[in-house]
Amino acid sequence: MALIEVSNLEKTYFDEGVETHALCGVTFNIKEGEFVAIMGPSGSGKSTLLHVLGFLDRHTGGEYRFDGKAMDDYSDTELAHVRNKKMGFIFQAFNLLPRTSVLENVKLPLLYSGIEQKSWDKLAKNALEAVGLSHRLDYEPAQLSGGEKQRVAIARALVNNPMVIFADEPTGNLDSKSGQLVMEILQKLSEEQGHTVILITHETYTAEHAQRIIRVKDGMIEKEEIVNHRLKADKFIK
């Protein structure tokens, strides 16, 4: 069974009587453990699709099933619970608290997790070790490079051990070397730890780290393709 099942998905925005169709009958499935890139130009609907898939917004037509249950069957409280427990998010702008240590930033998702507080430090330190930042626990974001900030964001996304990680243009604010390292980490999380990774990007080079690319244009799927010459994560911080 697929982890994510999308059937004829639609999203329409209404602003002062004007309708904007951001998604127009999108259909696809994503299996657990898959690394999928959703690719398209600005305004194609890919970010809207991420918001729906990540339970950050509701669709207006069609059906979205996550882990076997239709999104329409979740209350807002249940959506928030699943989003916290089963989903991790990485954004282009990092979204770190500025005057808060790296360790405390990573612990943030645990506040509403139901996990005992005495375990939080260990979980956060394990997540930071996984991205090679054990030596930056007490640093604040202003003391980090862009690549290090994004690796902190990845650790924060990992701390609850989510089923799926959503990465929205995670290399957009990074130089090429830092961006490559971030993509290698995401690839390892899929290949070695079994996380489902959904990457939103407009860059072909970034998308080719995935196993499959779903190309979106004007709110519709233009085509799906298997990445035959996939870029490999041949080096990684230990």
Side-chain angles (χ1 to χ4, degrees):
M1 182 179 70
L3 176 63
I4 286 173
E5 300 170 272
V6 174
S7 179
N8 295 315
L9 196 72
E10 298 178 1
K11 178 63 181 179
T12 302
Y13 294 101
F14 299 90
D15 184 18
E16 297 182 353
V18 178
E19 293 186 6
T20 301
H21 301 285
L23 297 175
C24 309
V26 172
T27 298
F28 62 87
N29 292 340
I30 296 176
K31 296 178 182 178
E32 189 169 355
E34 229 186 330
F35 187 166
V36 176
I38 298 175
M39 186 178 175
S42 178
S44 62
K46 62 185 186 298
S47 291
T48 298
L49 184 54
L50 177 141
H51 288 160
V52 174
L53 296 180
F55 285 9
L56 298 169
D57 198 1
R58 288 185 181 268
H59 55 289
T60 51
E63 185 178 58
Y64 169 32
R65 301 183 70 85
F66 178 82
D67 199 20
K69 183 175 178 179
M71 186 181 190
D72 289 337
D73 293 336
Y74 288 93
S75 67
D76 288 344
T77 300
E78 289 171 331
L79 289 180
H81 177 75
V82 172
R83 192 166 57 238
N84 178 263
K85 293 286 290 183
K86 297 186 178 182
M87 299 176 176
F89 296 88
I90 304 162
F91 298 101
Q92 180 176 345
F94 317 130
N95 293 355
L96 303 177
L97 296 182
R99 288 177 292 278
T100 305
S101 72
V102 163
L103 184 64
E104 293 301 316
N105 264 286
V106 173
K107 285 161 60 174
L108 283 174
L110 299 172
L111 289 171
Y112 307 102
S113 66
I115 296 172
E116 291 186 358
Q117 189 170 354
K118 64 182 181 181
S119 302
W120 292 2
D121 275 5
K122 181 179 180 181
L123 290 171
K125 288 176 181 178
N126 287 345
L128 285 162
E129 183 179 357
V131 298
L133 285 179
S134 295
H135 60 303
R136 295 284 194 257
L137 301 182
D138 298 322
Y139 281 53
E140 294 184 359
Q143 299 173 288
L144 304 176
S145 68
E148 287 173 330
K149 290 176 185 177
Q150 194 59 289
R151 284 154 60 193
V152 173
I154 293 172
R156 182 183 57 195
L158 283 175
V159 74
N160 270 341
N161 193 29
M163 296 178 72
V164 57
I165 296 170
F166 295 99
D168 189 4
E169 300 280 5
T171 64
N173 285 337
L174 305 180
D175 59 59
S176 58
K177 184 177 179 180
S178 297
Q180 172 67 11
L181 179 56
V182 165
M183 292 312 303
E184 288 168 359
I185 291 172
L186 292 176
Q187 199 171 47
K188 288 283 187 177
L189 292 174
S190 173
E191 291 180 354
E192 296 186 1
Q193 298 187 23
H195 292 282
T196 305
V197 178
I198 299 176
L199 169 72
I200 304 296
T201 185
H202 65 278
E203 300 171 334
T204 299
Y205 179 81
T206 304
E208 287 177 347
H209 283 85
Q211 296 166 299
R212 181 161 57 104
I213 298 174
I214 299 173
R215 296 185 184 270
V216 180
K217 184 178 181 181
D218 298 329
M220 297 178 284
I221 292 181
E222 189 175 31
K223 64 177 179 178
E224 292 188 48
E225 58 192 88
I226 303 297
V227 181
N228 292 317
H229 301 288
R230 188 181 179 199
L231 295 176
K232 289 294 182 182
D234 53 3
K235 64 182 190 304
F236 182 64
I237 289 182
K238 299 297 182 183

